[in-house]
Amino acid sequence: MKKELVIGKKEKQKLNKNQQTFNRLVKKLEKLRREKEKTEKSLSEKLDFYGKHIHPLETEAAELADRSAKTFYRLYHEQTLLTKSEKDVLIDIIAGQIDEFLSFAKREPDAELKKIFEFVEGESFDESAEADFEAMKDDMRETFKGLGVDIDLDDFTSDLSEDEIIRKMFEKVGDVQAQAEAQAAAKSKRKKTQRQIEKEAREQQIEEAKTKNIAAMYKQLAKVLHPDLERDETRRAEKEVLMKQLTIAYKDGDLHTLLRLELEWLQKEEDNLEDLSDEKLKIYNQALKEQVQELEMQIHLATQHPRYQPLQKYVNYFGVQSLKLEHEKTKLQQLNELSKADLTELEGKKPMKRLREIIRDTRKQMKAEQTFSLDFDNFFDRF
């Protein structure tokens, strides 16, 4: 049975505060590592499912939306029996099809669809895209300005591909971090209070002690775990695996793995985990807190990694757990089948019956959405 990586206690002896904190942090770190592995595995599986099942349906949906927008636009001009009211609704339907195309398409609209976009929106597609892009840049600038950081986005242009924008965004985040560090360094040159000086001295002592302890732990464990010092073949093979873990952890500054190896060794050799000094525990606890914060951030930002960008449109406020791709697959299949059925009738010799049904259903939906919106506003006006 695997021993738990926690400090034990002798009979009738309570653990002190630092020992309790150590145990709590180690358990939390183990839980977060399992959660991170689970999250990454889940995202990889969902990305694979997306590639096999969702992406082809999105591509089909985009092409059907393109075809539908062009068909509705043609009917708008051809069908002289349509009333002005019906034509107004039809313009909204065409706009909806263009939005659907832009949501799913991996390509720009062609010249014909751009012409339809201009007819519906009253401005060219390129002008609209440029305005949206500049608004996005302004929002980003304001966000970073609120954090006290000026960010240069002059090299962000609308002709960049989605992948290039994501790559540049990650570069900018690195620039912002460097700028924040420079600002912190400049701030540190100002006259400091005695309390600030004492705090920085304590932090420096902890950092130096932590580095020293990591190196000391590595040297100590390397002597004990080195396979060349072992004659028993089974134990030698065991130690070769442990030594590799030790070396990688030391290079990465991974205190948790070093600590686990040290504590496992102590459990085997001396069974005296409770004798770890308070000074050493404080250093361990500080480093473990930092690893906990880092893992929490990595889990929180998991879906925002460029690799998982295709999944982002399906993630809501509940994070990765909200990704119900089987449901999205069914919705897309139904949407595509409905679009194909509509196009069969709309492109036929007698499209007016189906066209008027679609206009009538759209008008009802718009009215229902408007009513809900008014009710929602009135609800909050009461408070």
Side-chain angles (χ1 to χ4, degrees), residues 94-112:
I94 296 168
Q97 291 300 315
I98 293 173
D99 285 343
E100 198 163 291
F101 169 83
L102 296 174
S103 172
F104 293 126
K106 303 300 179 185
R107 63 171 176 85
E108 263 206 1
D110 60 20
E112 184 182 357

Side-chain angles (χ1 to χ4, degrees), residues 13 24 67 87 99 145 270 276 284 297 346 356:
Q13 179 183 344
R24 177 177 56 79
R67 189 172 141 200
K87 283 195 168 187
D99 285 343
K145 191 176 179 181
E270 298 178 25
L276 283 170
Y284 286 165
M297 182 61 69
L346 295 172
R356 280 202 158 120

Side-chain angles (χ1 to χ4, degrees), residues 128-152:
S128 176
E130 189 66 36
D132 289 344
F133 194 80
E134 289 302 319
M136 181 269 289
K137 285 166 65 174
D138 288 341
D139 287 343
M140 287 173 62
R141 287 192 189 99
E142 286 301 313
T143 299
F144 282 106
K145 191 176 179 181
L147 298 172
V149 176
D150 291 322
I151 185 168
D152 180 13

